[in-house]
Structure formats: C-alpha cells, structure tokens
C-alpha cells in the first residue's frame, strides 16, 4: 500500500499511521519524527531543523526532501509506505510525485483527516500537559495551525483534482477513525490492499 495521511496538527495522523502500517504491512514514515531525530544529531543542520520545529515553522523543502527521500525509496522497495506529514507543501508534493513516478511507486490514495479547529487545539494542549513536546504550547500551536491552513491546505484541492483524495472525519474516537479509513480505502480500486481484513 502507498498512502499519504494529510491532516492538520492534532488530527491523529501519527496514531492512525501506526495502525495502518500494522494493518497493511507498509512502513509508517512520520516526517516530524524523522526531522526531530535529525534535529537531535550534532551539527549545524540539526540546530537549524530544531529551530524551525520549536517555532512551529515548516522546515525548508530541500532539507525535508533530503531527509525523507531515502526513507520513502527504501519503504517503496519493501511493502510500501504510509506517509505521515510529507508532502506538506505544493513544492514537496510535486518533487515527491516526480520521484515516485520515476521509480514507479506513485501514491495510491491520500487520506485527509479533518476536525474542527477547537478540537485540534484542545487535543494538542492535552498532549502538552502529558508528554510535552517543545512545539505544544498555546502560541506555537496557534502558529502551526495557521501554517497548516496556508501552506498544507492547498494540497487538499491538489490531490482532489488527481482523484485520489478520501476525506475522513477525525473528530471521533481513534477506533472509529481507523474503521472509517479502512472502509474508505476498501471502496477504492487499490492493488495489494489487505482486503480480507476489511470485510
Ligand atoms: P504536527 O503535524 O502535529 O505539527 P509533526 O510531528 O508532523 O506534528 O510536525 C512537527 C514539525 O516538524 C512541524 O511543525 C515542522 O516544523 C516539521 N515538519 C514535519 N513535516 C514537515 C514537512 N513535510 N515539511 C516541513 N516541515 C515539516
């Protein structure tokens, strides 16, 4: 399976990405996690990535492509990928599409998880009080949601026009979201879906 989870911060794409990877055998590739790992490494690049993430700004496209491309290529070669948080800008989407077309591993579907702004904000603040990520504080959360709307939002019409976007209501308990995603995917003419588990 080759899937992209497209969603604002707090919609649950990390949770759903892990579940879909376990269900399908494809690899879960979380852009934020890979970039945070890179940010923990010593050196100027790590410090630069950490600074963007702490502010809630997107990491520049070229850095993201350098970090993510090897992971996507490797996953595509062994069972597919569930992309979580990449592509997140139109330039990333066109670069990823060109690479995937060259390798013959283009996206089969984009699952768009949506929820009202106040639900997203409440979830992120709850997570902040439990685990505490540097970017889970009120003003940075507001900024991340604004960046999402301006920069990632245009990917919804982009993938809709390409006929591969399915929208799922993320304002439900995690199990219901998973069930809705699996039902939506089962309705698509995808190859190599684990259909036995859907029915
Ligand atoms: P969330 O979706 O809740 O913001 P992520 O872990 O997906 O959490 O992303 C956290 C941060 O990592 C983003 O605010 C941004 O700084 C960086 N990031 C993640 N994915 C990308 C991407 N595709 N392009 C640019 N920056 C990214």
């Amino acid at each position: 399976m080759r899937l992209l989870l497209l969603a604002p911060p707090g919609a649950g794409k990390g949770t759903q990405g892990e579940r879909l990877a376990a269900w399908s055998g494809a690899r879960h590739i979380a852009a934020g996690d890979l970039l945070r790992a890179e940010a923990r490494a010593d050196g100027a690049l790590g410090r630069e990535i950490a600074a963007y993430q702490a502010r809630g700004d997107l990491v520049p496209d070229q850095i993201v492509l350098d970090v993510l491309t090897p992971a996507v290529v490797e996953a595509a070669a062994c069972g597919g990928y569930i992309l979580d948080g990449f592509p997140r800008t139109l330039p990333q989407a066109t670069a990823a599409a060109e690479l995937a077309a060259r390798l013959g591993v283009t996206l089969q579907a984009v699952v768009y998880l949506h929820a009202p702004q106040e639900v997203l904000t409440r979830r992120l603040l709850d997570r902040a009080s439990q685990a505490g990520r540097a970017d889970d504080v009120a003003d940075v959360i507001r900024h991340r949601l604004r960046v999402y709307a301006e920069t990632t939002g245009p990917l919804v019409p982009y993938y809709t026009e390409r006929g591969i976007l399915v929208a799922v209501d993320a304002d439900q308990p995690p199990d219901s979201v998973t069930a809705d995603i699996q039902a939506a995917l089962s309705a698509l003419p995808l190859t190599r879906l684990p259909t036995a588990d859907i029915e």
Side-chain angles (χ1 to χ4, degrees):
M1 189 194 288
R2 295 186 302 276
L3 206 70
L4 163 63
L5 289 172
L6 181 61
K13 60 187 158 50
T15 304
Q16 299 301 329
E18 278 171 27
R19 291 177 178 206
L20 289 171
W23 172 65
S24 67
R27 199 173 297 174
H28 178 211
I29 298 178
D33 289 349
L34 289 182
L35 290 166
R36 273 186 291 278
E38 199 68 32
R40 281 194 294 274
D42 278 341
L45 180 65
R47 282 193 296 278
E48 194 183 346
I49 294 173
Y52 283 109
Q53 289 193 308
R55 286 196 301 268
D57 283 326
L58 292 185
V59 175
D61 289 332
Q62 194 53 54
I63 296 177
V64 173
L65 287 164
D66 289 347
V67 172
L68 268 293
T69 300
V72 177
V73 170
E74 195 186 311
C78 47
Y81 51 69
I82 312 286
L83 298 178
D84 155 358
F86 169 80
R88 203 154 161 146
T89 67
L90 282 172
Q92 288 179 19
T94 48
E98 273 168 28
L99 174 75
R102 211 162 53 235
L103 298 175
V105 292
T106 49
L107 279 173
Q108 294 170 305
V110 176
V111 174
Y112 169 47
L113 298 175
H114 57 90
Q117 186 100 349
E118 59 274 18
V119 171
L120 302 171
T121 306
R122 178 160 32 80
R123 286 183 186 173
L124 292 166
L125 288 171
D126 284 351
R127 185 170 80 187
S129 65
Q130 293 158 17
R133 227 171 68 181
D135 55 353
D136 281 345
V137 291
D139 56 338
V140 182
I141 288 171
R142 259 195 307 278
H143 183 60
R144 282 158 61 206
L145 289 168
R146 203 163 45 237
V147 168
Y148 170 83
E150 286 168 7
T151 312
T152 309
L155 293 184
V156 174
Y158 174 85
Y159 289 118
T160 302
E161 282 160 19
R162 279 153 186 78
I164 55 171
L165 187 124
V166 292
V168 170
D169 178 9
D171 186 13
Q172 313 182 70
D175 286 351
S176 308
V177 177
T178 307
D180 281 4
I181 294 173
Q182 291 177 343
L185 292 177
S186 74
L188 296 176
L190 302 187
T191 51
R192 293 173 59 208
L193 266 182
T195 41
D197 290 353
I198 302 173
E199 285 151 8

